[in-house]
Amino acid sequence: MSLNLEQYVSEFSAQNINGEHLLQLDGSKLKALGMTSSQDRAIIKRRLKEMKASLEKARKAQEKMEKQREKLRKKEQEQLQRRSKKTDKCSSDATEGTNEQ
């Protein structure tokens, strides 16, 4: 509707075309859905291309964030392990000092 193609809404609805299905449509499928105007198909295909690019960009950004979070988790875990080893060493040194006395 935002593309001024509301004449196709009823057919798309009747065929249960949702966002996921819409991204799978190509020119021949659009034509089969009753979109006879090549200009209208071109508008839809251009917009779908833009949407796919936007989705891919968002997916890559999400993956990057997840990698950064994983890297941070590993770093924190390594710091905890180092602290734990330090604490264990200090405890054993203190125990040895007590035993020597």
Side-chain angles (χ1 to χ4, degrees), residues 47-100:
R47 187 72 174 120
L48 288 173
K49 185 176 178 180
E50 291 169 2
M51 289 170 64
K52 287 176 185 178
S54 179
L55 285 170
E56 183 63 19
K57 187 176 178 180
R59 184 188 64 77
K60 285 182 179 181
Q62 179 68 27
E63 285 178 0
K64 185 177 179 180
M65 292 261 294
E66 287 174 10
K67 284 180 182 179
Q68 288 174 340
R69 283 188 195 125
E70 185 61 31
K71 189 175 179 180
L72 185 60
R73 267 185 289 228
K74 284 181 180 180
K75 189 175 181 179
E76 288 172 350
Q77 193 171 20
E78 287 171 0
Q79 288 175 345
L80 285 172
Q81 287 174 346
R82 280 191 291 245
R83 286 182 192 145
S84 177
K85 286 179 183 179
K86 228 180 201 182
T87 304
D88 289 347
K89 187 175 188 284
C90 289
S91 295
S92 68
D93 287 351
T95 304
E96 287 177 15
T98 305
N99 288 343
E100 289 177 6

Side-chain angles (χ1 to χ4, degrees), residues 20-48:
E20 192 174 325
H21 291 122
L22 188 62
L23 291 172
Q24 305 302 318
L25 298 179
D26 60 13
S28 62
K29 290 177 184 172
L30 289 169
K31 201 171 190 177
L33 284 167
M35 196 173 277
T36 56
S37 167
S38 61
Q39 285 181 315
D40 290 351
R41 286 194 307 273
I43 290 169
I44 292 284
K45 288 191 295 186
R46 183 177 59 247
R47 187 72 174 120
L48 288 173

Side-chain angles (χ1 to χ4, degrees), residues 10-23:
S10 61
E11 183 61 29
F12 277 49
S13 295
Q15 296 295 325
N16 294 319
I17 303 297
N18 60 21
E20 192 174 325
H21 291 122
L22 188 62
L23 291 172

